Amino acid sequence: MAYIGLISDTHCHFDDKVRKFLEPVDTIWHAGDFGNADTAARIATFKPLTGVYGNCDGQDVRIDYPVAQIIELQGLKILMTHIGGYPGRYDWRALQLIEAHRPDVFICGHSHILKVVNDRHYDMMVLNPGACGLQGFHLVRTALRFRIEEGKLKDMEVGEWPKEYE
């Protein structure tokens, strides 16, 4: 069993509220737009980190994180990239990756909108944790945590925090 924390769009902001929510997880997956390499390093110091770069990330992040990750865990194939879209409206690059890899779970960020949806056409779950940073139009900061066990996503929880500037 693996206990995963899923975040995206930190945009240089990783605070104690998000840390507390992610405290029990084994590892953190970041679906892009870290903001900078220092933010990625702070997260990686807190928990083991797997991530992808986002459209707002510079070369400092892109050196360490690829545009897409394929993760095979507990019988699931997971595809993660930053700009993804949703069932019926996938970004063309994301669609090429989906077609090539046929994942069980597709993870993306970018929209700053939390979504968990089943794509019946591709027989996969689509997860977007929303944005846990402060930058962007979202009004509520969000993150996900869930377990992967015996080829299934289980016990999914949403963390929500007001978008408050400190």
Side-chain angles (χ1 to χ4, degrees):
M1 179 183 64
Y3 197 12
I4 311 296
L6 179 59
I7 60 177
S8 185
D9 296 278
T10 47
H11 294 282
C12 300
H13 188 81
F14 185 67
D15 66 0
D16 288 338
K17 292 175 184 175
V18 176
R19 276 181 189 269
K20 185 175 180 184
F21 178 73
L22 297 173
E23 181 62 41
V25 305
D26 302 322
T27 188
I28 296 173
W29 293 351
H30 194 298
D33 278 356
F34 287 94
N36 60 35
D38 290 340
T39 303
R42 282 197 330 267
I43 298 166
T45 300
F46 175 62
K47 295 283 180 173
L49 175 63
T50 299
V52 296
Y53 72 76
N55 61 299
C56 291
D57 290 321
Q59 288 302 104
D60 61 336
V61 173
R62 294 173 189 223
I63 287 169
D64 294 324
Y65 298 94
V67 68
Q69 293 265 14
I70 302 293
I71 304 161
E72 298 208 18
L73 184 63
Q74 297 283 321
L76 286 180
K77 184 189 282 188
I78 298 112
L79 166 63
M80 180 167 50
T81 194
H82 182 61
I83 298 176
Y86 301 107
R89 296 185 55 144
Y90 292 112
D91 173 77
W92 69 272
R93 289 178 202 98
L95 187 57
Q96 288 178 326
L97 290 167
I98 291 166
E99 291 280 347
H101 297 284
R102 297 295 179 162
D104 302 300
V105 180
F106 175 62
I107 295 172
C108 60
H110 186 62
S111 71
H112 291 222
I113 300 168
L114 172 79
K115 275 201 180 187
V116 176
V117 63
N118 184 8
D119 182 335
R120 288 187 172 90
H121 178 76
Y122 287 101
D123 192 27
M124 66 182 182
M125 288 300 298
V126 178
L127 308 180
N128 185 325
C132 68
L134 295 173
Q135 183 179 338
F137 67 89
H138 58 284
L139 300 176
V140 177
R141 300 182 308 127
T142 55
L144 293 171
R145 64 184 181 196
F146 53 90
R147 298 180 194 283
I148 296 178
E149 186 176 358
E150 298 175 0
K152 294 189 172 140
L153 298 176
K154 296 183 173 186
D155 304 325
M156 189 166 295
E157 298 174 281
V158 175
E160 290 185 330
W161 309 274
K163 188 174 170 184
E164 300 168 332
Y165 296 88
E166 298 161 353

